[in-house]
Amino acid sequence: MEELKDTSIHKMASKLINAIKSLNNYTDLFRNVQKLACNPTVDKNNMRHSLEEAIRESGLETEIRNLIFQLIRTNLKIDRLYDTDPTQPQPQVDPLVYLRRAGAQWDRRVRKSLHTMCAELKVYAQGQPRASSDRDELITKWDELSNYAIGIDHFTTNKDTKIYENLACYRPVYAPKDLLDVLLQIPKWEFSHIPLTVKNLGELRTHYNDLMREETYYSVWDLNSQCELITLIFVLFRFLLTSIPRKGIDYWNKLKGNVLSTDHIVDKLVFKDIQLTASNDDQYFVFEDVLYQIMLCFSRDMQIAQMVIGDNYHQKPKTYEAPPSGVVPFHGICMFAAPFCYLFDSPIHLYYSFRAFYVRYCHRLTTINTHPQGIVSICLLFEKLLQSHEPKLWSHFRELQIHPIRVVFKWLMRAFSGHLPPDQLLVLWDLILGFDSLEILSVFAIIILSFRKESILQVGTLESIDAILADLSSIKVIPLIKLALSGD
């Protein structure tokens, strides 16, 4: 019996070895082991045990374990490891089907929550004609919407019943923490076990190679903040390609007209979100009025739903009504728009810049999807970089039973908006635009943890770690990212 067991283990090990050798990252993995074998701490007279210890201390053991787990789970199902005829075609199984299913379930859950809120507050989910008195006040105060008393002293008629609209009754449909909890509670699922392909540090260095050259335009960041903003404005205008055509202005006026004519639950959610976030932020409260305009029009923009189809973005289910844009407001959504207030005086230019950035990048950070630029891939990249390049921090988090993603998820999902000072946030977003990648978010999160590693290693609770990382006002984006990409 023992002989048969040993034979089975040998066959499994052989299949795993062959599978690992066929992977794209096998060469890098093998090279890293070779480097460890040459380390002075590895004793040639006790090679096996000393090398195993070096692999554990380097964090490479976790990477290897996750790799083997992933192979067994996806490509080498246990019940087929021994009896499969390699000459016969094998049925193709999508290893990410559970992730796509989770994305659809999350989307339904968000829209159902919105529908339930409408039922509780007895308001129409699909919106209703705005009362003439309300419309007149909204028109009068369009440029100073912070003085528009939405949900405070307005009465509306719903099926001949007067209902007092108290904004305090409205709550964000979800917050970053809610999405993270869903991701971490999917059965038998952790970021490190997901069979998505993400770059290693060497591939990231190649992708951001131009950033490391001294003669690049990023040298202007060293001059002053005004140069930073001027450079970014040029980048954004190139991103938009041309000035806004007449039809763009007409479409903006159409969105504005829809806001004036139709009362929708998302109006209250927009006001609530801005009041909870931007209005309480020393860097953005002065833009409160224009943010109301931008986000109200954004909620009515039906073109957005068409623009983001794909990337596993789920169209609204027929069962539940959704905002015309297809985007259910969540806690902090206005912070994707707030930084653009520093760049444009015109609400129209501001709107189309923000919309282009949201459609290209931000929506991938707020849905469960399999896109290589999606929030799941960004989290996976963060974990792999942490395991490989900060093994002491990784082990510290594991010992404390704190999932490392919990520490940085709020940064990643909001692309650091509201966490970095605006001048540095615009630098970071300029890198996203310039290199057309959200991967810089993971790199930046890692280097911040590295920068404050010694303090983190001295504490033992999530609250203490959050306190250490709460103030990012002294962080400079370009020097730290260069340090992260140039390090060994």
Side-chain angles (χ1 to χ4, degrees), residues 35-84:
K35 288 181 180 179
L36 289 175
C38 298
N39 194 300
T41 61
V42 175
D43 184 359
K44 66 179 182 180
N45 297 318
N46 189 17
M47 175 67 77
R48 175 179 174 181
H49 294 290
S50 58
L51 181 57
E52 286 177 352
E53 182 64 26
I55 289 174
R56 275 193 292 271
E57 291 181 356
S58 70
L60 197 58
E61 180 190 30
T62 304
E63 182 177 345
I64 295 173
R65 286 180 179 274
N66 289 335
L67 185 63
I68 292 173
F69 178 90
Q70 178 180 318
L71 287 170
I72 292 177
R73 182 173 182 178
T74 58
N75 300 325
L76 299 173
K77 297 298 183 182
I78 297 298
D79 58 350
R80 292 189 284 141
L81 274 176
Y82 321 114
D83 303 323
T84 300

Side-chain angles (χ1 to χ4, degrees), residues 351-363:
Y351 177 75
Y352 282 108
S353 299
F354 156 61
R355 189 182 78 164
F357 191 74
Y358 180 88
V359 168
R360 180 73 175 177
Y361 302 107
C362 300
H363 85 274

